[in-house]
Structures are given as C-alpha cells and as structure tokens.
Amino acid sequence: MRRPLTVALAALVPGALLGWIVYAAVGGPDGSATAAASPAASSPSPWSAPPPSTSAGKDGANGKGTTPAPTGSGTGPLAGKVVVIDPGHNTGNARHTAEINRKVDIGNSRKECDTTGTSTNAGYAEARFTLDVAHRLRTLLEAQGATVKLTHDGDSPSWGPCIDERAHIGNTAHADAAISIHADGAAQGDRGFHVILPGAVHAGGADTRPIVAASKSLGERVAGNFLRATGEQPSNYVGDGTGLVTREDLGGLNLSTVPKVFIECGNMRDSKDAALLTSGAWRQKAAQGISEGIVSFLHG
C-alpha cells in the first residue's frame, strides 16, 4: 500500500510487543514495511498453493467473476469459526485502471475502488505476495477446522474487488475475524512490519465503534505472533516501535462490522525486506505467525 499513514497508536510503548510475545508463549496456540533481526527457529519448506476454490453463486464487486467459496473441515479447535482473508490488491488491477480509479464511499470520505499496489525493485508484485500468503494462511486455519473465505482468488474476479466490497464480504460472512494482507512501498531503509487497526469512525455508512476494541485485541495478537514467528521487528518508520498504527482512512476497515485489521508484512522497496518477501520459506513463517495470532484471538 502506498497511502500515507495518518494516526499512530501513541498510547502503546515500544516494549508492548515483548509482552505480547510472552503472552503468546504462555497463553496458547489475526496502505505498508520490515526486517528479520533474528530468524525463527524452524524454516518450513516452500508451500505450493492449491487451485482456487470458487463459487458460481455470487458475482464479485465488479461483476466479472465469482468470489471464492468458504472452505473448512468443520472439525478441529476452530470448528464453527469463520475467518475472512483479504489478499490486498489484484494482479489484474493494472489492466483495469478506469475501474479501480472509480471513487467509492468509505463513510467519512470517498476513495479509489482499489489500487495496483506496489512491487519490489525487481518486479515482484504486492498482489502476488498477498495472494501467496493468503493461500498459506488459509491452509493453516483450515487444518484447525475454521471456515475460511477469501475476498478474491487471483483471477476471480479479474480486478478488485473494490474496497467497500472487500469489507462487505467479511460482513456478510459474519466473520469472527478478518485480516487484509499487504506489503508496503516505502523508502529504502524503512523496514519492519506493522498492523493497522481501525479508528473510531462514525460517519455516513461507517460505524466502527462496535469493533474497535475487538480489532485492537486481534491486531495485538497478530503483531506479537508475527514478530515471534518471523523474527521481523516492528516498523522503524511508523508506530513508534509498537508495530501498531491506527487509521481512519481505509475503506476496508471503516466499513467493516466484524473485527478486522490490516498487516503490512514488509517494505517491498527495501532490498533487505524484499529478500524476505520473495522467499517462500519466509512467507510460510509469515503465514504461521498471522495464523497463530488469529487462533489466539478466536480462543479468547
């Protein structure tokens, strides 16, 4: 994501993540930037994503495809829980600039339907990264019995969906947790992940007040487990070292009625971060950390 970050979560101090890591260790099992100071203990082999799962029942926001059908085993510790994964952007967006530049209502303003996202200097697109991590995350959550729905699965739909539709998919699924996966496009030297929390927005069709507290809990658990699993440090350019940022200008958060956060997994424009983001083994660690954060949140 390239949008400027507007509100830092100043109430949290840089040492907060350490507490979350301790919590994760003793307590059980979910815009843009990052670094791996110390790698995780294990290095899983790269995982190949399964073929997309789609449903013919519902068109996407653009009417040019179908949104992926929910999947899940129905058995396991997360049986009965619904998780919506939103892979940021879409590889087809660049071919549909007129469509994605159309403004949509996000409650307190109007913003573009979507953007193309960023890429590494070598051309590895953010949309490819986010979909790959989404597939890995889906597999991990399904293994625990969760019902998982993606807002899109690559070419289905062929562009978008728009940011308002991405929120709507989570809402209509009555998701117990939703997460939007991204990677940043900041300057060289800007490193570190951050999790974006919804601010308290009450304007137009947006009212995040009922989900702010739950989303914060989700975001804290995702951040702590992501740090532990990947060894990657919190952003050195937003969030004051906490790895958490609050924003009120993201339609995917403003229009959500279910607990939801964004995660910026790394800065694609920094050479050191790019080396991580383009590694299949590291992306598996990223998915593992996000999964463990979501599982911790759903277990309460």
Side-chain angles (χ1 to χ4, degrees):
M1 287 176 64
R2 302 178 185 225
R3 299 169 189 138
L5 298 170
T6 56
V7 184
L9 193 64
L12 292 174
V13 295
L17 280 177
L18 179 60
W20 302 333
I21 300 169
V22 172
Y23 172 87
V26 301
D30 173 309
S32 317
T34 154
S38 59
S42 60
S43 300
S45 300
W47 175 85
S48 297
S53 172
T54 59
S55 167
K58 182 181 184 301
D59 286 342
N62 54 37
K64 293 180 179 295
T66 56
T67 53
T71 56
S73 67
T75 60
L78 294 186
K81 299 294 186 180
V82 177
V83 178
V84 169
I85 304 171
D86 177 29
H89 313 289
N90 190 318
T91 56
N93 281 359
R95 299 188 297 274
H96 296 276
T97 55
E99 292 89 344
I100 67 170
N101 285 333
R102 177 176 62 86
K103 297 291 183 69
V104 299
D105 188 352
I106 66 167
N108 58 2
S109 65
R110 295 181 66 82
K111 293 192 73 172
E112 290 79 8
C113 156
D114 202 2
T115 67
T116 59
T118 187
S119 68
T120 66
N121 293 331
Y124 179 59
E126 180 185 0
R128 287 181 57 196
F129 168 82
T130 63
L131 189 61
D132 180 83
V133 174
H135 285 159
R136 297 168 188 268
L137 178 58
R138 176 175 63 186
T139 296
L140 292 168
L141 292 171
E142 287 178 351
Q144 299 216 42
T147 296
V148 179
K149 183 177 181 67
L150 270 61
T151 58
H152 73 94
D153 205 345
D155 290 335
S156 180
S158 59
W159 57 270
C162 293
I163 54 178
D164 54 346
E165 176 65 8
R166 290 172 187 262
H168 180 69
I169 291 169
N171 298 344
T172 57
H174 303 290
D176 296 287
I179 188 162
S180 188
I181 300 170
H182 289 268
D184 210 351
Q188 171 71 27
D190 288 343
R191 302 186 63 189
F193 77 92
H194 62 277
V195 175
I196 305 174
L197 313 175
V201 175
H202 184 213
D207 187 1
T208 62
R209 294 174 298 175
I211 67 163
V212 165
S215 297
K216 179 182 177 182
S217 177
L218 172 62
E220 289 174 345
R221 293 168 191 248
V222 167
N225 282 277
F226 189 84
L227 187 157
R228 183 194 53 75
T230 64
E232 183 178 8
Q233 297 302 299
S235 170
N236 65 5
Y237 62 99
V238 293
D240 296 328
T242 67
L244 297 174
V245 175
T246 299
R247 289 179 63 169
E248 299 177 359
D249 65 327
L250 298 176
L253 294 181
N254 286 7
L255 300 176
S256 182
T257 59
V258 300
K260 185 175 182 179
V261 298
F262 281 40
I263 183 167
E264 297 283 0
C265 295
N267 179 14
M268 302 197 97
R269 294 296 185 174
D270 177 83
S271 58
K272 293 180 180 179
D273 273 8
L276 301 176
L277 298 167
T278 54
S279 163
W282 188 89
R283 292 195 298 272
Q284 185 66 29
K285 293 177 185 179
Q288 186 69 40
I290 296 169
S291 171
E292 290 173 1
I294 294 172
V295 169
S296 174
F297 172 76
L298 294 178
H299 281 170

